[in-house]
Amino acid sequence: MKKIRTLGFLILGVSFLFSCTEETPKRPNILFIMADDHAYQAISAYDNTLIETPNIDRIANDGMLFTNACVTNSICAPSRAVILTGKHSHLNGKIDNNFPFDTTQMTFPQLLQANGYQTAMFGKLHFGNNPKGFDEFKILPGQGRYYNPEFITKKEGKKTITGYVTDLITDMTINWLKTEREEDKPFFMAYLHKAPHREWLPAERHYTDFTKRTFKEPETLFDDYSGRGSAAHEAEMNLLKHMNWAGDSKIYPDVMDQLGIPETAGWDKGAFAREVGAMNEEQRAAWDAVYGPMNEQFIKDYPTMSQQDKMKWRYQRYMQDYLGSIASVDEGVGKVLDYLEESGLAENTIVIYTSDQGFYLGEHGWFDKRFIYNESFKTPLLVKWPGVIKAGSRNTQMVQNLDFAQTILAAAGVEAPADMQGENLIPLFRGETENFRDAVYYHYYEYPAVHMVKRHYGIVTEDFKLVHFYYDVDEWELYDRKNDPKELRNVYNDPEYAEVVKKLKADLSDLRIKYKDSEELDQHFIDKYKEKGLISRGGE
Ligand code: SGN
Ligand code: CA
């Protein structure tokens, strides 16, 4: 009798197991695509004034475009640390590009791997140490190079590979999907582009087309920062004053000498030598064939150019190379999406496209990022998940890169550690928009450092942005996002906004408590910074 009962239970158990596997959908693959410094203004799904990105747009056409996605700390390595740990910078400790990432922390890829996912990472990580939780990786050391870059590989040590970085990363990604993917496991792939990070070198096939184009100037190109505090005035991100002539605008060092143009920064010509100097003879000849005539023209024009002409010229040169380097990112994304479709993987693969932060494309006369102001605070986010996200949908809520870890873990059916601080975005994917946060917290630290953007933290709601700049100043700014979308008027001292300031200060204080940030921690990171004697150039 006992035996029969046991057998009965066994059969029941086995059939239950089978019915489970029949009904439970296969766990989704996850393709996480991130470009470095890719502004939403340079993705046509957001705005096609500057460039068409038909392939990146496919993700939004087949899925969801987030129009209010933002970061918690607008700079490269800290953003990546927030993404991997699901914790704000003050808790994961990677407050800027210099402090090392504490690798004893739990990151979501480790959890995916431990729960049966096959994991791979190709491209730019920028941590100073190797990623944990990956079966395979090939990453660039630090910032990496555009031409003939070196890679740190998990299995073959360091390798220098001939070619153009964006295309190499794309090839590695597709190659892994084709030849190394294990059919019986879901995968997590981190496909991470260096482009369009400074010094913005396009692929050869885009030189001619992009250097001929003229781009629409932003309305605030000649911003004088009146109506704002000392942080905007003192930032060193101006296209005319702070962009390198050789390294960024690609004026040959000897042409600078001939025209008597001094280096902008101590590494101006050095950056040119590092990037353009890494080309082989053939690549260099192709580059010179286009950038040589551009230099010739500049020699003729420069002596009669006004300051305003120079600013306009700088903007066009910047956009030609920045957007030119995005063209190959878009092509690469297209190839990977095509492969997913051809192989039948697309149906059960979540595709996420984002950047480590936003970027200024001449707005306020700037390049670079760091500020809580819109162009650097916001980040692109496009997500496709067949069967879950309705094609062509849009979400306007305040989602953050802080939310990625928990969202990805939830999609994989893996429980997120209780100390992660983000939100699971899957209800938003399904179109359920109730009970989601209505304010986000932001904190930037890397100061004094390259670009000289002061330390600040703040709260952002759909309607307002309240910011506190500290360390060597004690200044507050308030922006009315609805009535002043370009953020040109600090209304902090305007009596009409006194109530708003009072309420937002209280909310900001609550957010600091909620996320476990504090004045003691602000001071702790200042002390650590001073101890190290850091004046950073951004983690070379
Ligand atoms: C380098 C760049 C900076 C940039 C930092 C950080 N200068 O230092 O413009 O802000 O990287 O960028 S460069 O002349 O050396 O290119 S980040 O994306 O890695 O945070
Ligand atoms: Ca970046």
Side-chain angles (χ1 to χ4, degrees):
M1 179 70 190
K2 201 174 168 206
K3 255 191 188 160
I4 292 172
R5 212 189 284 158
T6 318
L7 196 73
F9 274 128
L10 249 177
I11 291 169
L12 242 175
V14 170
S15 59
F16 176 70
L17 238 180
F18 270 107
S19 67
C20 264
T21 40
E22 260 170 31
E23 279 163 23
T24 316
K26 265 173 55 190
R27 293 195 292 169
N29 305 306
I30 299 148
L31 169 64
F32 181 79
I33 315 173
M34 189 157 76
D36 195 338
D37 292 358
H38 194 169
Y40 61 85
Q41 310 92 294
I43 293 181
S44 44
Y46 287 95
D47 183 349
N48 66 358
T49 312
L50 295 172
I51 190 173
E52 292 295 336
T53 50
N55 293 299
I56 298 170
D57 293 4
R58 278 162 67 184
I59 303 167
N61 294 339
D62 293 346
M64 188 174 267
L65 183 77
F66 286 85
T67 58
N68 247 321
C70 62
V71 296
T72 66
N73 180 2
S74 179
I75 183 154
C76 188
S79 162
R80 290 155 202 264
V82 168
I83 291 172
L84 287 174
T85 61
K87 290 179 189 164
H88 274 279
S89 305
H90 58 272
L91 291 195
N92 72 48
K94 184 88 183 121
I95 56 157
D96 67 13
N97 276 341
N98 297 286
F99 281 96
F101 178 69
D102 171 4
T103 55
T104 62
Q105 301 184 79
M106 184 49 75
T107 61
F108 80 80
Q110 285 170 269
L111 292 168
L112 290 180
Q113 190 186 43
N115 283 278
Y117 268 73
Q118 192 190 4
T119 54
M121 176 188 282
F122 299 111
K124 180 172 176 184
L125 176 64
H126 194 202
F127 258 20
N129 39 37
N130 293 343
K132 277 192 171 171
F134 286 91
D135 300 320
E136 168 68 322
F137 63 76
K138 293 190 173 112
I139 57 168
L140 298 164
Q143 300 280 12
R145 272 198 318 255
Y146 273 99
Y147 278 86
N148 312 323
E150 187 180 50
F151 282 89
I152 300 167
T153 73
K154 179 160 182 169
K155 295 172 186 155
E156 304 158 277
K158 281 192 178 174
K159 272 178 92 172
T160 299
I161 309 182
T162 305
Y164 180 66
V165 73
T166 304
D167 298 342
L168 294 174
I169 296 168
T170 298
D171 291 349
M172 285 170 184
T173 301
I174 295 176
N175 192 42
W176 185 90
L177 289 170
K178 278 189 179 161
T179 62
E180 292 195 45
R181 195 178 62 79
E182 293 167 29
E183 305 248 322
D184 58 340
K185 281 183 172 178
F187 68 81
F188 172 75
M189 161 69 74
Y191 166 44
L192 311 174
H193 284 296
K194 167 189 170 64
H197 190 273
R198 205 178 179 188
E199 281 74 16
W200 315 301
L201 264 70
E204 185 191 325
R205 60 186 178 279
H206 298 298
Y207 293 162
T208 312
D209 175 14
F210 277 85
T211 52
K212 274 198 215 137
R213 293 196 199 179
T214 305
F215 299 94
K216 185 173 181 275
E217 289 171 8
E219 280 169 36
T220 56
L221 184 63
F222 292 95
D223 195 351
D224 63 2
Y225 315 115
S226 59
R228 273 144 292 160
S230 65
H233 283 90
E234 289 174 29
E236 297 181 355
M237 313 204 310
N238 187 271
L239 296 187
L240 184 54
K241 292 190 208 141
H242 307 112
M243 195 172 254
N244 288 332
W245 283 100
D248 296 329
S249 297
K250 319 299 181 330
I251 292 304
Y252 291 113
D254 61 323
V255 171
M256 285 173 66
D257 295 343
Q258 182 186 335
L259 296 171
I261 302 174
E263 284 193 289
T264 304
W267 65 90
D268 184 337
K269 292 178 182 172
F272 181 95
R274 186 168 58 91
E275 287 287 5
V276 180
M279 293 177 181
N280 62 29
E281 248 176 63
E282 205 183 313
Q283 293 162 340
R284 181 64 198 255
W287 194 81
D288 281 336
V290 177
Y291 286 79
M294 181 276 284
N295 269 265
E296 292 304 319
Q297 189 60 43
F298 184 73
I299 295 171
K300 287 188 201 139
D301 296 343
Y302 182 76
T304 58
M305 280 165 98
S306 66
Q307 288 299 93
Q308 200 191 38
D309 294 338
K310 285 178 193 162
M311 182 67 162
K312 286 168 170 276
W313 183 90
R314 284 281 194 143
Y315 171 72
Q316 295 301 334
R317 269 291 37 253
Y318 169 35
M319 283 301 94
Q320 289 166 356
D321 289 350
Y322 177 88
L323 297 167
S325 77
I326 286 172
S328 39
V329 172
D330 187 64
E331 290 165 354
V333 168
K335 282 187 192 166
V336 176
L337 293 178
D338 286 348
Y339 178 73
L340 292 182
E341 275 160 29
E342 283 156 24
S343 60
L345 286 167
E347 213 181 301
N348 194 34
T349 301
I350 304 173
V351 180
I352 301 171
Y353 188 93
T354 190
S355 173
D356 55 347
Q357 16 54 215
F359 213 67
Y360 293 94
L361 305 184
E363 300 88 357
H364 307 294
W366 286 337
F367 65 108
D368 216 69
K369 53 252 179 182
R370 297 157 193 271
F371 274 114
I372 193 174
Y373 305 140
N374 270 336
E375 289 78 4
S376 45
F377 164 73
K378 283 173 70 169
T379 196
L381 181 63
L382 303 82
V383 186
K384 154 179 178 316
W385 188 356
V388 175
I389 299 180
K390 205 167 124 226
S393 46
R394 264 177 181 252
N395 178 292
T396 60
Q397 283 166 300
M398 305 215 50
V399 303
Q400 283 193 296
N401 58 348
L402 182 70
D403 304 327
F404 295 169
Q406 274 153 273
T407 303
I408 290 172
L409 288 172
V414 177
E415 200 181 329
D419 60 353
M420 283 191 172
Q421 298 183 304
E423 305 282 339
N424 171 6
L425 302 180
I426 295 177
L428 276 56
F429 292 170
R430 297 189 192 280
E432 298 155 14
T433 52
E434 283 87 51
N435 302 322
F436 195 71
R437 69 160 81 84
D438 52 14
V440 296
Y441 180 60
Y442 182 92
H443 198 156
Y444 171 80
Y445 297 85
E446 195 176 287
Y447 179 88
V450 64
H451 301 302
M452 296 302 275
V453 172
K454 292 187 191 297
R455 284 171 195 243
H456 58 290
Y457 60 82
I459 178 173
V460 184
T461 65
E462 271 187 38
D463 293 341
F464 296 103
K465 188 175 284 183
L466 177 77
V467 198
H468 182 214
F469 291 92
Y470 68 101
Y471 180 68
D472 57 348
V473 286
D474 179 7
E475 290 179 20
W476 289 83
E477 296 185 5
L478 176 73
Y479 293 93
D480 182 334
R481 301 185 82 197
K482 287 267 152 70
N483 293 313
D484 176 26
K486 294 202 159 50
E487 303 176 322
L488 299 173
R489 262 176 309 120
N490 168 20
V491 290
Y492 180 78
N493 289 317
D494 183 335
E496 269 187 36
Y497 289 89
E499 279 308 307
V500 175
V501 168
K502 203 171 143 203
K503 161 96 175 53
L504 284 177
K505 275 197 170 174
D507 292 348
L508 174 58
S509 164
D510 289 347
L511 274 188
R512 298 237 307 159
I513 292 166
K514 171 180 171 188
Y515 289 122
K516 303 188 166 61
D517 203 0
S518 62
E519 276 182 23
E520 290 71 42
L521 273 176
D522 299 348
Q523 191 55 47
H524 164 77
F525 289 120
I526 290 170
D527 293 344
K528 275 186 81 172
Y529 211 78
K530 284 185 176 162
E531 234 170 68
K532 280 194 147 193
L534 283 175
I535 291 279
S536 131
R537 247 198 66 201
E540 277 310 296

